[in-house]
Amino acid sequence: MANGCPDSWRTMLGWLTDTKIPVGKWAGAGFDWLEHKGGFAFDALADALESLIDGLLWALQTPHPLIIIALFTALTWGLQRRWQTCLLVAAGFLFILNQGYWEEMTESLTLVMSACLVCMGIGVPLGIAAAHRPRAYAWMQPVLDLMQTLPTFVYLIPAIVFFGIGMVPGLIATVIFVLPAPIRLTHLGVSSTPKPLLETAAAFGATPGQTLWKIELPFALPQIMAGLNQTIMLSLSMVVIAALVGADGLGVPVVRALNQVNTALGFESGFVIVVVAIVLDRMLRVRGRGRK
């Protein structure tokens, strides 16, 4: 015994430190296998996502900016029915146009909209399935925790390996980071449907599909919309990180300002991102209308 530590403990400690579990090698081997065996699938996915991005980008950049602003203002009126919110949305987009970031804003908005379509299209069905299968959700929770807690820069490495440089790897990294939010909130909304409502539906002979569409989903609508809101906010938080893998948008001037230590450019582009976040949040905010 030396320094109060038994020799057996020293031997065990030495074995633990010298015998490293090759987690990194296993992960690298798994990615290499996926790249070798699934190249065709990744190419097809990249083509589909690129088509989605190009279509949204064309829709946002082809019309005159004032037409896009008018359309978003009209959409805000249809969703909120408040002239104050419409004025805020119009003023926010006009401010972005005034600052000269309209093109970058449309590119970031394309990334956000694409991430919302993918995340909500996958997350809502998975959340519904998890609410109906508690055991499956118990298995999903560690995976969702890993997706949200793993540093986002780590997602960029396999995204570059599988999809190269550009908007697609930025979208993939964004989806991986954002997807747990709609899954969790949809699960919360559906699973919190009051049992008396479900029992009443069963007593009147409602099928599982009718119960889902007429009771569970209307009751869970506020949570689902909150999931959409979180998807948008988290996607916007990824625009700077996505710029590191070649994605266009508002993250590019932020990265340029960081490289040049340009305080004015960094604050200006960062403030525009904040304005976009505020505008989208006010547009899609739901005040509990789904439960009335």
Side-chain angles (χ1 to χ4, degrees), residues 16-285:
L16 286 174
T17 54
D18 295 338
T19 309
K20 179 180 178 180
I21 300 175
V23 176
K25 291 183 180 180
W26 291 343
F31 288 129
D32 290 340
W33 183 84
L34 286 173
E35 184 183 9
H36 178 69
K37 298 293 185 181
F40 175 81
F42 289 123
D43 291 341
L45 178 61
D47 291 340
L49 294 178
E50 191 171 357
S51 299
L52 173 64
I53 292 171
D54 291 342
L56 291 174
L57 198 59
W58 179 87
L60 290 174
Q61 290 186 344
T62 302
H64 193 277
L66 294 180
I67 296 177
I68 298 297
I69 294 173
L71 290 175
F72 273 95
T73 304
L75 177 62
T76 304
W77 174 256
L79 293 173
Q80 302 295 336
R81 298 291 178 178
R82 297 185 62 189
W83 66 267
Q84 297 93 333
T85 307
C86 294
L87 181 62
L88 175 65
V89 170
F93 281 124
L94 288 174
F95 172 79
I96 295 169
L97 185 62
N98 170 263
Q99 294 297 301
Y101 285 92
W102 183 260
E103 183 176 355
E104 291 83 356
M105 187 277 297
T106 55
E107 292 167 344
S108 290
L109 194 57
T110 297
L111 183 63
V112 171
M113 293 172 65
S114 301
C116 287
L117 289 174
V118 175
C119 289
M120 297 304 289
I122 298 175
V124 172
L126 282 180
I128 294 172
H132 292 156
R133 297 170 179 83
R135 289 186 178 180
Y137 185 66
W139 285 96
M140 290 170 58
Q141 279 186 305
V143 179
L144 299 178
D145 293 338
L146 177 65
M147 293 169 65
Q148 286 190 308
T149 56
L150 195 68
T152 50
F153 287 98
V154 177
Y155 298 142
L156 301 182
I157 302 172
I160 293 173
V161 171
F162 295 143
F163 301 101
I165 300 296
M167 293 285 280
V168 173
L171 174 59
I172 294 296
T174 301
V175 168
I176 295 174
F177 176 67
V178 175
L179 185 58
I183 294 177
R184 292 184 188 276
L185 287 168
T186 301
H187 168 268
L188 175 64
V190 175
S191 61
S192 62
T193 305
K195 288 185 178 180
L197 288 179
L198 300 177
E199 293 172 354
T200 302
F204 280 93
T207 64
Q210 292 173 332
T211 302
L212 173 65
W213 286 101
K214 296 185 178 181
I215 295 180
E216 291 178 328
L217 287 181
F219 188 86
L221 181 61
Q223 281 75 23
I224 294 174
M225 292 302 295
L228 176 61
N229 185 279
Q230 286 296 304
T231 299
I232 292 172
M233 296 301 108
L234 292 173
S235 299
L236 277 173
S237 70
M238 289 288 290
V239 296
V240 177
I241 297 175
L244 298 177
V245 294
D248 298 325
L250 293 170
V252 175
V254 174
V255 173
R256 188 184 305 124
L258 179 63
N259 294 331
Q260 300 174 355
V261 196
N262 190 332
T263 307
L265 178 62
F267 182 83
E268 184 180 82
S269 52
F271 189 72
V272 170
I273 295 175
V274 173
V275 172
V276 175
I278 293 174
V279 166
L280 295 179
D281 176 70
R282 296 302 184 272
M283 281 182 59
L284 299 173
R285 179 171 294 183

